[in-house]
Amino acid sequence: DWSSDVCSSDLVRLARVLTRLGDAEAADRSYVAASRLAPSESSLASERALNWANAGRQRGRVDAYRRALALDPTIAPAWVNLGALAARADADGMRRAWGRATHLQPDLADAHNNLGTAEQRAGQLPVATRSYRRALVFEPARSDAWFNLGSAQQNQNLIEAAVSAYERAVVLRTEFLDALIPLATLLNFLGLLDRATKANQIGRAHV
């Protein structure tokens, strides 16, 4: 038991130090003890949740994100990261997590981009396209979202739109080989040989 002369603020300071040191378990015990001394302090639950969210981010721990969200289910980035970890074995869980994140924080580009990836894998290409576009509304300089958009459009035979998206990805990240390869292929298909050659040259320069 904590000594009676220890106050809640002392325990919170200790918890914050332990969080920075990466000891989520010890930090959580300090937050719990602090909340017992100051049960009316509403911010402690949020700090405790963020402690676990931080632990998950540092270690890639599904259980840490779940503990964070059990304490505070409104932490959108925790849903994004939980979905990324769930993707390894649980496609439906991944989609639910990323969908929840987009509802909690509609301007979170990561959530929309990741949700688009999940939808594309499920064969929902028009829905995926909308998710990628939504991500780009909030982060228009995301080369990965432009590439993902191009991929979804290519798979819908929207060739010129795909070329435009791939080119935007390459402008933002010149060495983006994953975008350069399909870009060169589509430019060849369209008969735009000079542009295709340029894309191939850029690609070879960064291999």
Side-chain angles (χ1 to χ4, degrees), residues 163-191:
V163 165
S164 178
Y166 286 141
E167 286 183 329
R168 188 68 177 269
V170 171
V171 166
L172 291 166
R173 201 167 101 205
T174 306
E175 75 284 2
F176 200 162
L177 292 177
D178 284 347
L180 283 162
I181 292 169
L183 174 59
T185 300
L186 294 182
L187 288 170
N188 268 312
F189 175 78
L190 293 173

PDB file of all heavy atoms in Angstrom, residues 163-191:
ATOM      1  N   VAL A 163      -3.076   6.849 -63.818  1.00  0.00           N
ATOM      2  CA  VAL A 163      -1.825   7.494 -64.217  1.00  0.00           C
ATOM      3  C   VAL A 163      -1.640   8.802 -63.465  1.00  0.00           C
ATOM      4  O   VAL A 163      -0.559   9.100 -62.937  1.00  0.00           O
ATOM      5  CB  VAL A 163      -1.792   7.740 -65.738  1.00  0.00           C
ATOM      6  CG1 VAL A 163      -0.682   8.723 -66.116  1.00  0.00           C
ATOM      7  CG2 VAL A 163      -1.594   6.426 -66.481  1.00  0.00           C
ATOM      8  N   SER A 164      -2.696   9.593 -63.393  1.00  0.00           N
ATOM      9  CA  SER A 164      -2.623  10.874 -62.693  1.00  0.00           C
ATOM     10  C   SER A 164      -2.265  10.680 -61.224  1.00  0.00           C
ATOM     11  O   SER A 164      -1.432  11.405 -60.670  1.00  0.00           O
ATOM     12  CB  SER A 164      -3.961  11.601 -62.828  1.00  0.00           C
ATOM     13  OG  SER A 164      -3.937  12.821 -62.127  1.00  0.00           O
ATOM     14  N   ALA A 165      -2.880   9.673 -60.582  1.00  0.00           N
ATOM     15  CA  ALA A 165      -2.604   9.426 -59.165  1.00  0.00           C
ATOM     16  C   ALA A 165      -1.173   8.934 -58.966  1.00  0.00           C
ATOM     17  O   ALA A 165      -0.465   9.381 -58.054  1.00  0.00           O
ATOM     18  CB  ALA A 165      -3.594   8.402 -58.620  1.00  0.00           C
ATOM     19  N   TYR A 166      -0.724   8.003 -59.819  1.00  0.00           N
ATOM     20  CA  TYR A 166       0.651   7.503 -59.707  1.00  0.00           C
ATOM     21  C   TYR A 166       1.659   8.632 -59.918  1.00  0.00           C
ATOM     22  O   TYR A 166       2.677   8.714 -59.222  1.00  0.00           O
ATOM     23  CB  TYR A 166       0.903   6.401 -60.730  1.00  0.00           C
ATOM     24  CG  TYR A 166       0.254   5.072 -60.415  1.00  0.00           C
ATOM     25  CD1 TYR A 166      -0.309   4.301 -61.438  1.00  0.00           C
ATOM     26  CD2 TYR A 166       0.212   4.565 -59.124  1.00  0.00           C
ATOM     27  CE1 TYR A 166      -0.887   3.065 -61.182  1.00  0.00           C
ATOM     28  CE2 TYR A 166      -0.375   3.334 -58.857  1.00  0.00           C
ATOM     29  CZ  TYR A 166      -0.923   2.599 -59.884  1.00  0.00           C
ATOM     30  OH  TYR A 166      -1.488   1.371 -59.615  1.00  0.00           O
ATOM     31  N   GLU A 167       1.382   9.498 -60.902  1.00  0.00           N
ATOM     32  CA  GLU A 167       2.294  10.617 -61.150  1.00  0.00           C
ATOM     33  C   GLU A 167       2.360  11.547 -59.947  1.00  0.00           C
ATOM     34  O   GLU A 167       3.437  12.044 -59.607  1.00  0.00           O
ATOM     35  CB  GLU A 167       1.858  11.381 -62.409  1.00  0.00           C
ATOM     36  CG  GLU A 167       2.170  10.634 -63.697  1.00  0.00           C
ATOM     37  CD  GLU A 167       1.808  11.424 -64.946  1.00  0.00           C
ATOM     38  OE1 GLU A 167       0.830  12.215 -64.885  1.00  0.00           O
ATOM     39  OE2 GLU A 167       2.480  11.247 -65.966  1.00  0.00           O
ATOM     40  N   ARG A 168       1.240  11.753 -59.300  1.00  0.00           N
ATOM     41  CA  ARG A 168       1.236  12.610 -58.113  1.00  0.00           C
ATOM     42  C   ARG A 168       2.070  11.971 -56.998  1.00  0.00           C
ATOM     43  O   ARG A 168       2.818  12.665 -56.301  1.00  0.00           O
ATOM     44  CB  ARG A 168      -0.202  12.831 -57.647  1.00  0.00           C
ATOM     45  CG  ARG A 168      -0.354  13.845 -56.539  1.00  0.00           C
ATOM     46  CD  ARG A 168      -0.015  15.262 -57.038  1.00  0.00           C
ATOM     47  NE  ARG A 168      -0.238  16.232 -55.996  1.00  0.00           N
ATOM     48  CZ  ARG A 168      -1.387  16.878 -55.807  1.00  0.00           C
ATOM     49  NH1 ARG A 168      -2.415  16.644 -56.608  1.00  0.00           N
ATOM     50  NH2 ARG A 168      -1.508  17.764 -54.838  1.00  0.00           N
ATOM     51  N   ALA A 169       1.961  10.644 -56.870  1.00  0.00           N
ATOM     52  CA  ALA A 169       2.752   9.937 -55.860  1.00  0.00           C
ATOM     53  C   ALA A 169       4.240  10.101 -56.125  1.00  0.00           C
ATOM     54  O   ALA A 169       5.038  10.310 -55.208  1.00  0.00           O
ATOM     55  CB  ALA A 169       2.379   8.457 -55.833  1.00  0.00           C
ATOM     56  N   VAL A 170       4.623  10.025 -57.401  1.00  0.00           N
ATOM     57  CA  VAL A 170       6.039  10.120 -57.769  1.00  0.00           C
ATOM     58  C   VAL A 170       6.559  11.542 -57.603  1.00  0.00           C
ATOM     59  O   VAL A 170       7.709  11.760 -57.199  1.00  0.00           O
ATOM     60  CB  VAL A 170       6.250   9.618 -59.211  1.00  0.00           C
ATOM     61  CG1 VAL A 170       7.665   9.902 -59.687  1.00  0.00           C
ATOM     62  CG2 VAL A 170       5.948   8.119 -59.290  1.00  0.00           C
ATOM     63  N   VAL A 171       5.727  12.526 -57.891  1.00  0.00           N
ATOM     64  CA  VAL A 171       6.122  13.916 -57.680  1.00  0.00           C
ATOM     65  C   VAL A 171       6.433  14.147 -56.196  1.00  0.00           C
ATOM     66  O   VAL A 171       7.401  14.833 -55.839  1.00  0.00           O
ATOM     67  CB  VAL A 171       5.010  14.884 -58.145  1.00  0.00           C
ATOM     68  CG1 VAL A 171       5.261  16.287 -57.611  1.00  0.00           C
ATOM     69  CG2 VAL A 171       4.941  14.903 -59.663  1.00  0.00           C
ATOM     70  N   LEU A 172       5.633  13.541 -55.348  1.00  0.00           N
ATOM     71  CA  LEU A 172       5.820  13.715 -53.909  1.00  0.00           C
ATOM     72  C   LEU A 172       6.987  12.888 -53.380  1.00  0.00           C
ATOM     73  O   LEU A 172       7.592  13.253 -52.377  1.00  0.00           O
ATOM     74  CB  LEU A 172       4.535  13.319 -53.170  1.00  0.00           C
ATOM     75  CG  LEU A 172       3.357  14.270 -53.383  1.00  0.00           C
ATOM     76  CD1 LEU A 172       2.059  13.639 -52.922  1.00  0.00           C
ATOM     77  CD2 LEU A 172       3.592  15.584 -52.639  1.00  0.00           C
ATOM     78  N   ARG A 173       7.283  11.755 -54.043  1.00  0.00           N
ATOM     79  CA  ARG A 173       8.369  10.888 -53.609  1.00  0.00           C
ATOM     80  C   ARG A 173       9.017  10.272 -54.843  1.00  0.00           C
ATOM     81  O   ARG A 173       8.556   9.250 -55.360  1.00  0.00           O
ATOM     82  CB  ARG A 173       7.839   9.792 -52.684  1.00  0.00           C
ATOM     83  CG  ARG A 173       8.908   9.187 -51.815  1.00  0.00           C
ATOM     84  CD  ARG A 173       8.284   8.339 -50.718  1.00  0.00           C
ATOM     85  NE  ARG A 173       8.336   6.925 -51.022  1.00  0.00           N
ATOM     86  CZ  ARG A 173       7.494   6.015 -50.540  1.00  0.00           C
ATOM     87  NH1 ARG A 173       6.493   6.390 -49.770  1.00  0.00           N
ATOM     88  NH2 ARG A 173       7.636   4.745 -50.824  1.00  0.00           N
ATOM     89  N   THR A 174      10.076  10.899 -55.313  1.00  0.00           N
ATOM     90  CA  THR A 174      10.668  10.551 -56.601  1.00  0.00           C
ATOM     91  C   THR A 174      11.094   9.094 -56.685  1.00  0.00           C
ATOM     92  O   THR A 174      10.985   8.461 -57.747  1.00  0.00           O
ATOM     93  CB  THR A 174      11.889  11.464 -56.881  1.00  0.00           C
ATOM     94  OG1 THR A 174      11.486  12.810 -56.761  1.00  0.00           O
ATOM     95  CG2 THR A 174      12.443  11.212 -58.268  1.00  0.00           C
ATOM     96  N   GLU A 175      11.572   8.529 -55.575  1.00  0.00           N
ATOM     97  CA  GLU A 175      12.104   7.162 -55.594  1.00  0.00           C
ATOM     98  C   GLU A 175      11.026   6.122 -55.327  1.00  0.00           C
ATOM     99  O   GLU A 175      11.338   4.956 -55.024  1.00  0.00           O
ATOM    100  CB  GLU A 175      13.215   7.026 -54.549  1.00  0.00           C
ATOM    101  CG  GLU A 175      12.764   6.955 -53.093  1.00  0.00           C
ATOM    102  CD  GLU A 175      12.327   8.291 -52.505  1.00  0.00           C
ATOM    103  OE1 GLU A 175      12.323   9.300 -53.235  1.00  0.00           O
ATOM    104  OE2 GLU A 175      11.988   8.318 -51.312  1.00  0.00           O
ATOM    105  N   PHE A 176       9.755   6.479 -55.474  1.00  0.00           N
ATOM    106  CA  PHE A 176       8.647   5.586 -55.138  1.00  0.00           C
ATOM    107  C   PHE A 176       8.517   4.507 -56.230  1.00  0.00           C
ATOM    108  O   PHE A 176       7.723   4.612 -57.152  1.00  0.00           O
ATOM    109  CB  PHE A 176       7.363   6.405 -55.030  1.00  0.00           C
ATOM    110  CG  PHE A 176       6.255   5.754 -54.245  1.00  0.00           C
ATOM    111  CD1 PHE A 176       5.212   6.516 -53.767  1.00  0.00           C
ATOM    112  CD2 PHE A 176       6.242   4.394 -53.972  1.00  0.00           C
ATOM    113  CE1 PHE A 176       4.174   5.948 -53.032  1.00  0.00           C
ATOM    114  CE2 PHE A 176       5.225   3.810 -53.262  1.00  0.00           C
ATOM    115  CZ  PHE A 176       4.185   4.587 -52.790  1.00  0.00           C
ATOM    116  N   LEU A 177       9.292   3.430 -56.089  1.00  0.00           N
ATOM    117  CA  LEU A 177       9.339   2.392 -57.118  1.00  0.00           C
ATOM    118  C   LEU A 177       7.995   1.700 -57.301  1.00  0.00           C
ATOM    119  O   LEU A 177       7.627   1.344 -58.433  1.00  0.00           O
ATOM    120  CB  LEU A 177      10.414   1.361 -56.777  1.00  0.00           C
ATOM    121  CG  LEU A 177      11.863   1.857 -56.845  1.00  0.00           C
ATOM    122  CD1 LEU A 177      12.815   0.751 -56.404  1.00  0.00           C
ATOM    123  CD2 LEU A 177      12.204   2.323 -58.254  1.00  0.00           C
ATOM    124  N   ASP A 178       7.268   1.494 -56.208  1.00  0.00           N
ATOM    125  CA  ASP A 178       5.970   0.821 -56.322  1.00  0.00           C
ATOM    126  C   ASP A 178       5.017   1.596 -57.215  1.00  0.00           C
ATOM    127  O   ASP A 178       4.133   1.003 -57.857  1.00  0.00           O
ATOM    128  CB  ASP A 178       5.340   0.636 -54.938  1.00  0.00           C
ATOM    129  CG  ASP A 178       5.991  -0.487 -54.152  1.00  0.00           C
ATOM    130  OD1 ASP A 178       6.754  -1.272 -54.767  1.00  0.00           O
ATOM    131  OD2 ASP A 178       5.755  -0.586 -52.937  1.00  0.00           O
ATOM    132  N   ALA A 179       5.167   2.915 -57.269  1.00  0.00           N
ATOM    133  CA  ALA A 179       4.327   3.728 -58.151  1.00  0.00           C
ATOM    134  C   ALA A 179       4.933   3.853 -59.539  1.00  0.00           C
ATOM    135  O   ALA A 179       4.209   3.882 -60.543  1.00  0.00           O
ATOM    136  CB  ALA A 179       4.122   5.117 -57.541  1.00  0.00           C
ATOM    137  N   LEU A 180       6.253   3.915 -59.620  1.00  0.00           N
ATOM    138  CA  LEU A 180       6.912   4.092 -60.921  1.00  0.00           C
ATOM    139  C   LEU A 180       6.680   2.903 -61.855  1.00  0.00           C
ATOM    140  O   LEU A 180       6.498   3.078 -63.068  1.00  0.00           O
ATOM    141  CB  LEU A 180       8.412   4.307 -60.722  1.00  0.00           C
ATOM    142  CG  LEU A 180       8.828   5.698 -60.252  1.00  0.00           C
ATOM    143  CD1 LEU A 180      10.235   5.671 -59.679  1.00  0.00           C
ATOM    144  CD2 LEU A 180       8.737   6.702 -61.395  1.00  0.00           C
ATOM    145  N   ILE A 181       6.679   1.708 -61.309  1.00  0.00           N
ATOM    146  CA  ILE A 181       6.532   0.512 -62.158  1.00  0.00           C
ATOM    147  C   ILE A 181       5.166   0.469 -62.838  1.00  0.00           C
ATOM    148  O   ILE A 181       5.089   0.371 -64.078  1.00  0.00           O
ATOM    149  CB  ILE A 181       6.806  -0.761 -61.334  1.00  0.00           C
ATOM    150  CG1 ILE A 181       8.282  -0.808 -60.939  1.00  0.00           C
ATOM    151  CG2 ILE A 181       6.425  -2.011 -62.127  1.00  0.00           C
ATOM    152  CD1 ILE A 181       8.619  -1.873 -59.922  1.00  0.00           C
ATOM    153  N   PRO A 182       4.043   0.565 -62.105  1.00  0.00           N
ATOM    154  CA  PRO A 182       2.755   0.575 -62.799  1.00  0.00           C
ATOM    155  C   PRO A 182       2.545   1.835 -63.633  1.00  0.00           C
ATOM    156  O   PRO A 182       1.867   1.792 -64.669  1.00  0.00           O
ATOM    157  CB  PRO A 182       1.727   0.472 -61.668  1.00  0.00           C
ATOM    158  CG  PRO A 182       2.430   0.969 -60.461  1.00  0.00           C
ATOM    159  CD  PRO A 182       3.861   0.572 -60.637  1.00  0.00           C
ATOM    160  N   LEU A 183       3.136   2.947 -63.214  1.00  0.00           N
ATOM    161  CA  LEU A 183       3.023   4.173 -64.006  1.00  0.00           C
ATOM    162  C   LEU A 183       3.629   3.978 -65.385  1.00  0.00           C
ATOM    163  O   LEU A 183       3.002   4.301 -66.405  1.00  0.00           O
ATOM    164  CB  LEU A 183       3.710   5.328 -63.280  1.00  0.00           C
ATOM    165  CG  LEU A 183       3.805   6.651 -64.057  1.00  0.00           C
ATOM    166  CD1 LEU A 183       2.427   7.166 -64.428  1.00  0.00           C
ATOM    167  CD2 LEU A 183       4.566   7.692 -63.229  1.00  0.00           C
ATOM    168  N   ALA A 184       4.836   3.437 -65.437  1.00  0.00           N
ATOM    169  CA  ALA A 184       5.487   3.196 -66.727  1.00  0.00           C
ATOM    170  C   ALA A 184       4.673   2.231 -67.582  1.00  0.00           C
ATOM    171  O   ALA A 184       4.512   2.422 -68.797  1.00  0.00           O
ATOM    172  CB  ALA A 184       6.895   2.656 -66.506  1.00  0.00           C
ATOM    173  N   THR A 185       4.131   1.204 -66.957  1.00  0.00           N
ATOM    174  CA  THR A 185       3.323   0.214 -67.683  1.00  0.00           C
ATOM    175  C   THR A 185       2.090   0.862 -68.300  1.00  0.00           C
ATOM    176  O   THR A 185       1.770   0.624 -69.475  1.00  0.00           O
ATOM    177  CB  THR A 185       2.900  -0.923 -66.734  1.00  0.00           C
ATOM    178  OG1 THR A 185       4.065  -1.561 -66.219  1.00  0.00           O
ATOM    179  CG2 THR A 185       2.038  -1.943 -67.455  1.00  0.00           C
ATOM    180  N   LEU A 186       1.398   1.678 -67.518  1.00  0.00           N
ATOM    181  CA  LEU A 186       0.175   2.315 -68.019  1.00  0.00           C
ATOM    182  C   LEU A 186       0.479   3.363 -69.077  1.00  0.00           C
ATOM    183  O   LEU A 186      -0.285   3.517 -70.053  1.00  0.00           O
ATOM    184  CB  LEU A 186      -0.604   2.931 -66.862  1.00  0.00           C
ATOM    185  CG  LEU A 186      -1.174   1.949 -65.832  1.00  0.00           C
ATOM    186  CD1 LEU A 186      -1.973   2.696 -64.773  1.00  0.00           C
ATOM    187  CD2 LEU A 186      -2.051   0.895 -66.500  1.00  0.00           C
ATOM    188  N   LEU A 187       1.572   4.084 -68.919  1.00  0.00           N
ATOM    189  CA  LEU A 187       1.940   5.078 -69.936  1.00  0.00           C
ATOM    190  C   LEU A 187       2.268   4.390 -71.259  1.00  0.00           C
ATOM    191  O   LEU A 187       1.912   4.891 -72.338  1.00  0.00           O
ATOM    192  CB  LEU A 187       3.129   5.904 -69.444  1.00  0.00           C
ATOM    193  CG  LEU A 187       2.809   6.895 -68.308  1.00  0.00           C
ATOM    194  CD1 LEU A 187       4.100   7.481 -67.739  1.00  0.00           C
ATOM    195  CD2 LEU A 187       1.892   8.015 -68.797  1.00  0.00           C
ATOM    196  N   ASN A 188       2.932   3.250 -71.193  1.00  0.00           N
ATOM    197  CA  ASN A 188       3.181   2.462 -72.405  1.00  0.00           C
ATOM    198  C   ASN A 188       1.872   2.033 -73.042  1.00  0.00           C
ATOM    199  O   ASN A 188       1.702   2.096 -74.268  1.00  0.00           O
ATOM    200  CB  ASN A 188       4.027   1.223 -72.073  1.00  0.00           C
ATOM    201  CG  ASN A 188       5.507   1.480 -72.242  1.00  0.00           C
ATOM    202  OD1 ASN A 188       5.947   2.013 -73.252  1.00  0.00           O
ATOM    203  ND2 ASN A 188       6.290   1.099 -71.239  1.00  0.00           N
ATOM    204  N   PHE A 189       0.940   1.578 -72.200  1.00  0.00           N
ATOM    205  CA  PHE A 189      -0.364   1.131 -72.698  1.00  0.00           C
ATOM    206  C   PHE A 189      -1.096   2.254 -73.418  1.00  0.00           C
ATOM    207  O   PHE A 189      -1.767   2.026 -74.439  1.00  0.00           O
ATOM    208  CB  PHE A 189      -1.197   0.628 -71.514  1.00  0.00           C
ATOM    209  CG  PHE A 189      -2.608   0.256 -71.865  1.00  0.00           C
ATOM    210  CD1 PHE A 189      -2.894  -0.953 -72.485  1.00  0.00           C
ATOM    211  CD2 PHE A 189      -3.667   1.124 -71.581  1.00  0.00           C
ATOM    212  CE1 PHE A 189      -4.203  -1.294 -72.815  1.00  0.00           C
ATOM    213  CE2 PHE A 189      -4.966   0.792 -71.912  1.00  0.00           C
ATOM    214  CZ  PHE A 189      -5.246  -0.422 -72.526  1.00  0.00           C
ATOM    215  N   LEU A 190      -0.960   3.469 -72.907  1.00  0.00           N
ATOM    216  CA  LEU A 190      -1.621   4.624 -73.516  1.00  0.00           C
ATOM    217  C   LEU A 190      -0.849   5.178 -74.714  1.00  0.00           C
ATOM    218  O   LEU A 190      -1.307   6.120 -75.363  1.00  0.00           O
ATOM    219  CB  LEU A 190      -1.808   5.723 -72.468  1.00  0.00           C
ATOM    220  CG  LEU A 190      -2.788   5.413 -71.326  1.00  0.00           C
ATOM    221  CD1 LEU A 190      -2.743   6.508 -70.270  1.00  0.00           C
ATOM    222  CD2 LEU A 190      -4.217   5.247 -71.860  1.00  0.00           C
ATOM    223  N   GLY A 191       0.328   4.612 -74.981  1.00  0.00           N
ATOM    224  CA  GLY A 191       1.145   5.086 -76.091  1.00  0.00           C
ATOM    225  C   GLY A 191       1.923   6.340 -75.795  1.00  0.00           C
ATOM    226  O   GLY A 191       2.459   6.978 -76.706  1.00  0.00           O
TER     227      GLY A 191
END
